Amino acid sequence: MIFEDMADFAAAIPPLRALIGLDLGEKTIGVAVTDNFLSVATPLETVRRKKFGIDAARLNEIIQNRQIGGLVLGLPRNMDGTEGPRCQSTRAFARNFDRVTPLPITFWDERLSTVAAERALLEADTTRKRRAEVIDHVAAGYILQGVLDRLAVLKSQGNPG
């Protein structure tokens, strides 16, 4: 099921289950995961996109191996907050993936996540080649950490999750 509201998504996540975060690009999918206590997001890998069925199978393999309880997709809004073609593509991916998984799915505004990831990699003195290899899943980590921070706020306010 796809949730637009973060509190509703939080309520749908099974207890002690990790989340997976995706940064969808045209050629790659950055993947990050959380721990089971939903405290920290960790970049995991970058999946080279092929066809939806092949991509979904790889993601479901990660989901099964890591006992994932929910899925977060970075939503690439325009800087003014509007949704363009990339958002439509992300929403279409969510609808398609919703057909092959029982997991709750939500979106997170990913504006500037890649910029933040690039800055962190530059500060870590990462080579250009290495940055290109890891940027997508590091950006997915930023997206997923944003969700974890929001879930912590909801929990502190007495909302489920």
Side-chain angles (χ1 to χ4, degrees):
M1 180 171 260
I2 299 173
F3 296 91
E4 293 290 334
D5 182 75
M6 192 57 64
D8 294 339
F9 173 74
I13 302 167
L16 295 176
R17 295 295 288 269
L19 298 178
I20 188 170
L22 305 179
D23 180 25
L24 297 173
E26 290 180 22
K27 297 179 182 176
T28 60
I29 302 172
V31 181
V33 294
T34 68
D35 61 302
N36 287 357
F37 299 105
L38 304 181
S39 58
V40 66
T42 305
L44 183 65
E45 70 178 76
T46 298
V47 175
R48 283 237 159 264
R49 292 188 83 166
K50 295 175 178 82
K51 291 180 176 177
F52 176 79
I54 295 169
D55 299 344
R58 176 62 190 130
L59 294 173
N60 272 322
E61 185 180 321
I62 295 168
I63 287 166
Q64 295 305 315
N65 291 341
R66 298 201 170 251
Q67 300 178 334
I68 301 294
L71 181 82
V72 176
L73 296 173
L75 195 62
R77 293 182 187 273
N78 297 322
M79 290 308 288
D80 65 1
T82 60
E83 293 189 11
R86 289 188 57 226
C87 283
Q88 293 170 359
S89 174
T90 298
R91 290 186 182 279
F93 184 94
R95 287 190 301 275
N96 290 332
F97 204 77
D98 190 43
R99 294 186 189 117
V100 299
T101 185
L103 295 180
I105 299 172
T106 195
F107 302 100
W108 186 256
D109 185 346
E110 70 163 53
R111 281 179 282 187
L112 302 179
S113 62
T114 302
V115 172
E118 180 86 20
R119 184 174 297 131
L121 291 168
L122 284 169
E123 288 174 6
D125 203 26
T126 311
T127 66
R128 184 181 308 240
K129 181 178 186 277
R130 183 69 180 142
R131 281 196 310 270
E133 292 170 357
V134 302
I135 190 72
D136 295 317
H137 58 273
V138 171
Y142 272 87
I143 291 164
L144 197 50
Q145 190 63 51
V147 170
L148 294 181
D149 295 346
R150 178 69 181 130
L151 292 175
V153 168
L154 289 172
K155 193 170 196 169
S156 73
Q157 294 171 344
N159 289 313

